[in-house]
Amino acid sequence: MSQQTPTGGNWNTGPAPGTTPLTEGGGDTISGGALFAAVMLIVSGCLAVFQGIAAIANDDVYLRIGSYVFEFDLTAWGWIHLIIGIIVVLAGIGIFAGSGLARGAGIGLAGLSIILNFMWLPYQPWWAIIIIAIDAFIILGLCTGWKKQAG
């Protein structure tokens, strides 16, 4: 119900009944968990971009700790992190726009990021573990944070 202003117009007291500020055309509503996941996707993607740039720019930025099954050239790892990071940022932006496709892509990309950071463990173990934890929270937020509107 709207209220009238002193000049006779109506105050906009919020979104219309049954809608939210972030609503997809298909009727999906983004919850706080999904918004958290979108923000964390963008942060995680930016960190991956910076991580990739550092590995591409200077091969001796990261040192391998011990022997590990997954050994790649650091420049190759840099390009992998850079490309995946850009795609992750785009998925996070898509979630802010309310895209269900971006939600699915975000879940898949967070899973891929967990695998890549597991393989990145010998180069930056603490960094990789932190990013793996962030990605797990992203998946949780995206899997539980979308509710279908009634009607």
Side-chain angles (χ1 to χ4, degrees):
M1 176 178 269
S2 63
Q3 300 172 352
Q4 289 200 343
T5 64
T7 60
N10 288 332
W11 290 86
N12 184 2
T13 58
T19 62
T20 59
L22 293 173
T23 301
E24 183 184 349
D28 290 341
T29 303
I30 301 174
S31 71
L35 288 177
F36 170 77
V39 170
M40 293 311 291
L41 268 172
I42 292 172
V43 168
S44 176
C46 287
L47 291 174
V49 167
F50 296 142
Q51 188 176 8
I53 290 171
I56 292 168
N58 195 353
D59 258 2
D60 59 356
V61 169
Y62 299 112
L63 299 174
R64 189 163 38 93
I65 300 171
S67 181
Y68 201 63
V69 175
F70 307 108
E71 295 182 17
F72 293 101
D73 177 49
L74 277 176
T75 303
W77 268 119
W79 281 107
I80 291 169
H81 283 286
L82 180 67
I83 293 167
I84 296 297
I86 291 170
I87 296 170
V88 167
V89 168
L90 293 174
I93 292 169
I95 291 170
F96 273 123
S99 170
L101 178 65
R103 174 184 163 218
I107 293 168
L109 288 167
L112 179 62
S113 179
I114 287 174
I115 294 167
L116 290 176
N117 279 290
F118 175 76
M119 294 169 67
W120 183 251
L121 278 170
Y123 300 99
Q124 288 292 313
W126 288 106
W127 180 273
I129 290 169
I130 290 169
I131 298 298
I132 288 170
I134 288 172
D135 289 332
F137 282 115
I138 289 169
I139 292 171
L140 177 69
L142 290 177
C143 288
T144 61
W146 230 275
K147 296 183 175 110
K148 194 74 170 169
Q149 284 185 348

